[in-house]
Amino acid sequence: MNSSEVTNPQVTIVVVPRERFSYTRESLESIYTCTEYPFQLIYVDGGSPSHIKKYLVEQAIQNQFQLIRTEYYLSPNHARNLGLRQVNSKYVVFIDNDVVVTPGWLKTLVSCAEETDATVVSPLICQGSPLHEEVHCAGGESGVAIETRGETTRRRIIEKIYKQGRQVSEIRPQLQRQKTGLAEFHCMMVRTEIFQKIGLLDEALLNTKEHVDLCMQVAEVGGTVYLEPDSLVTYVPGPPLDWTDLHYYMLRWSNEWELASLKRLRDKWNLTEDEYFKNKYKRLGWRRDMTIISSLARKAPFGRFGSRVVGKILSEMDKVLNRYLTTRYAKRYLQGKQNPVSSKMMNSSLASTQG
């Protein structure tokens, strides 16, 4: 490693909120503990609660990274674009604020990109606790399948994740660096110059399928996606959630945001509204139901009967509250964008340095 790479790192890590704020410390500390390869870091803080805000300000001073804050919540691609606009390095790593990395993860991603000329490189992504044991994504497929029957042409979305739910110990011998068709925004490294061809990330995709859209755009302009399984990270979803996570979580996985995202994907890629979309529409709100409603209902008295009754009541309350939250957010967001004080990005007056 030469001195130029140390003073002018090839990689900028952009950390953004995924669905909660309560895992901020564990995730950020893993980056600084496990990353020997030089990097710059930009942390995008979209409206975190006061104790997280204070922690990030302290860490920005201590570790000399750039902190961008808005006083309103951010959709993931909006947050990523705020960071991406500040990037001038060869590579950008997008990583969510609930991801834990392992030693050597970044150097291995860079080696893969340098040796294969890959546009996008995905580590082996695991899920949940215990850390680094259960696979979430080991590459996959994305694209559009065109089917013609007589005079009818159907354009179907291709989205497939490999090895999800398998144990790393079982499949590790089978995995090798290889070209693939899918990477996920939990953690991916992207060659920055690609955005000169495809533009910024699509902010009309508010909460789902952003990774599919990016991989399809990369393929459309002749870029490549690689899996590098020697780089290992884990994303740690809730529950449990802190009470200060609930508002953002409910907005992040709101029916309105998901429905808008699916319609944007459909229209952008001229997709047929087939069973794929119909099934997605039927399952709107499943994350809130699984993480919040079901968790609360199980604590109800009178056994299963009590749980079912409470679950139905909470489900109806959730629908009303969810509509209120999305409407309230839209008004606050527009006010923030129009008000130079509340919409102002707080950048720490610090130079980014290596980890």
Side-chain angles (χ1 to χ4, degrees), residues 230-262:
D230 287 342
S231 177
L232 180 66
V233 307
T234 296
Y235 98 95
V236 186
L241 298 175
D242 285 359
W243 70 269
T244 53
D245 291 327
L246 290 176
H247 188 174
Y248 178 56
Y249 188 94
M250 293 185 73
L251 176 69
R252 169 70 166 89
W253 298 117
S254 64
N255 291 10
E256 183 177 323
W257 277 24
E258 186 167 6
L259 190 60
S261 301
L262 291 169

Side-chain angles (χ1 to χ4, degrees), residues 58-96:
E58 292 170 348
Q59 291 301 305
I61 295 171
Q62 178 179 323
N63 291 301
Q64 299 281 288
F65 63 75
Q66 183 179 10
L67 176 61
I68 300 174
R69 178 176 170 89
T70 62
E71 296 302 328
Y72 48 83
Y73 297 135
L74 296 168
S75 63
N77 266 0
H78 185 179
R80 293 176 190 120
N81 279 341
L82 288 177
L84 180 58
R85 288 187 178 96
Q86 306 297 314
V87 173
N88 54 22
S89 55
K90 185 175 182 179
Y91 299 107
V92 57
V93 171
F94 296 110
I95 190 167
D96 289 338

Side-chain angles (χ1 to χ4, degrees), residues 224-340:
T224 55
V225 180
Y226 270 77
L227 169 70
E228 179 46 85
D230 287 342
S231 177
L232 180 66
V233 307
T234 296
Y235 98 95
V236 186
L241 298 175
D242 285 359
W243 70 269
T244 53
D245 291 327
L246 290 176
H247 188 174
Y248 178 56
Y249 188 94
M250 293 185 73
L251 176 69
R252 169 70 166 89
W253 298 117
S254 64
N255 291 10
E256 183 177 323
W257 277 24
E258 186 167 6
L259 190 60
S261 301
L262 291 169
K263 289 182 176 179
R264 170 59 175 169
L265 184 75
R266 179 198 65 192
D267 296 344
K268 181 175 184 176
W269 294 97
N270 192 26
L271 300 169
T272 303
E273 194 166 66
D274 56 10
E275 289 303 313
Y276 174 91
F277 286 98
K278 292 175 183 177
N279 288 333
K280 295 292 184 184
Y281 300 153
K282 289 178 183 177
R283 299 186 69 217
L284 291 175
W286 70 269
R287 291 178 189 267
R288 301 194 315 278
D289 181 73
M290 177 185 68
T291 304
I292 301 173
I293 296 173
S294 296
S295 179
L296 291 173
R298 283 193 295 270
K299 299 176 182 178
F302 310 116
R304 292 183 180 178
F305 175 76
S307 295
R308 286 198 297 269
V309 172
V310 171
K312 289 180 180 179
I313 294 172
L314 290 174
S315 182
E316 292 304 313
M317 291 175 62
D318 169 72
K319 292 176 184 177
V320 175
L321 180 59
N322 202 242
R323 285 194 294 269
Y324 168 74
L325 288 177
T326 50
T327 301
R328 181 173 178 268
Y329 168 81
K331 291 179 180 178
R332 186 178 180 187
Y333 173 74
L334 289 174
Q335 290 171 354
K337 294 290 283 185
Q338 294 165 2
N339 185 328

Side-chain angles (χ1 to χ4, degrees), residues 164-220:
Q164 191 169 89
R166 301 285 298 277
Q167 291 296 303
V168 173
S169 57
E170 295 176 4
I171 68 168
R172 199 67 183 261
Q174 309 165 22
L175 297 177
Q176 59 184 350
R177 177 189 295 178
Q178 60 184 300
K179 190 180 293 187
T180 188
L182 189 71
E184 290 210 339
F185 273 122
H186 296 297
C187 180
M188 69 165 74
M189 190 177 78
V190 185
R191 194 175 293 267
T192 311
E193 65 183 10
I194 192 65
F195 296 106
Q196 297 174 11
K197 296 182 179 180
I198 66 174
L200 294 173
L201 300 169
D202 190 344
E203 294 182 19
L205 295 166
L206 293 169
N207 78 347
T208 189
K209 309 310 171 190
E210 319 99 292
H211 63 295
V212 177
D213 178 67
L214 174 64
C215 291
M216 289 165 63
Q217 288 189 87
V218 166
E220 193 174 48

